[in-house]
Amino acid sequence: RDVLAHDFAVVLLDVRMPTMNGFELAELIREHPRTHSLPIIFLTAGDADEFPLERAYALGAVDYLTKPFNPVVLRAKVAVFIDLYRKNAELARIEEERHRAQLRSRDARLRLILDNIRDYAFIGTDVDRVVTEWEGGAAAITGWPPDAVLGRCVDLLFTPEDQAAGQPEQEARNALAHGRAEDRRWHVRRDGTRFFADGVMVPLRDEAGVHAGFAKIIRDATVEKLAAERLAESEQQLGESRRQAEAERERLLRELQAASERMRDIFHRAPAIMCVMSGPEHVIDMANQ
């Protein structure tokens, strides 16, 4: 229980113990990942020539001593592993500090980037979509300052009709199911006005792969949306004008054709000689009956 709860530099393990001998205990120690490489020095009261070296070293033993042992020798052997343990601990501390320094540098750089990006809103939430981060242009785009929105559900950005239709929950489900959920819809600012947002939601997972929350990135695309709607309206109006012009052209063609047919009928039914001549020789091209 102790070796699973605490870090040890070395274990002194008596071979002959009641209930469980030293080798059986060593096997249990080796089975756990936390203590797999823990150094073991076996102590035995038996004959040194009869000590099972192969089994001991197979269990990761680094040495063994026979009783009665010399305390000076034992302290010297233990001191080697304590010194090694302390050096490894110091190296681990240095590596951890270096890693933390890298994280602080990275976080500072990310903070600098977020503080200077005003066209995009970076929103972080927990698994229940409660806002935990409100960065970038989130305040400028939505009108909500961080202190007024942190701890509240991000669903407040959705229009009442989208909330009633369950769109926030559906967006979260899509993000979990597919790794991302694109979001292009009208949202609501703090003052009640609406803006068209173009963005995406992705799930956040920790190192173990456990779902820890969501990240939502949106951009105010209201101008582009309104321009697209105006363009579509203009194209619709232009299309309608073209359809009206085509219909008018067809009507005129039909009237012209009808008039031509009437003239041809009059030409052929006239009770007099009628003909069409061309050229200086007055060549007859067409004549009635």
Side-chain angles (χ1 to χ4, degrees), residues 193-246:
T193 60
R194 299 193 175 192
F195 67 99
F196 190 82
D198 184 2
V200 63
M201 172 182 276
V202 296
L204 300 177
R205 302 186 184 278
D206 58 20
E207 295 179 354
V210 178
H211 179 215
F214 295 96
K216 186 178 178 70
I217 304 172
I218 60 175
R219 180 180 66 91
D220 186 352
T222 306
V223 175
E224 292 93 326
K225 176 66 174 177
L226 294 178
E229 290 179 350
R230 286 195 294 269
L231 178 61
E233 183 179 354
S234 298
E235 291 178 347
Q236 183 179 2
Q237 293 175 352
L238 179 60
E240 183 63 26
S241 298
R242 287 176 177 173
R243 285 191 294 272
Q244 292 177 356
E246 183 68 20

Side-chain angles (χ1 to χ4, degrees), residues 14-16 43-48 51 65-68:
D14 203 332
V15 174
R16 296 180 180 177
L43 305 177
T44 178
D47 189 347
F51 184 76
L65 294 173
T66 58
K67 300 177 182 180

Side-chain angles (χ1 to χ4, degrees), residues 262-276:
R262 286 195 300 272
M263 289 299 297
R264 187 181 299 111
D265 186 63
I266 292 172
F267 179 83
H268 286 291
R269 293 176 180 272
I273 296 174
M274 296 187 67
C275 63
V276 177

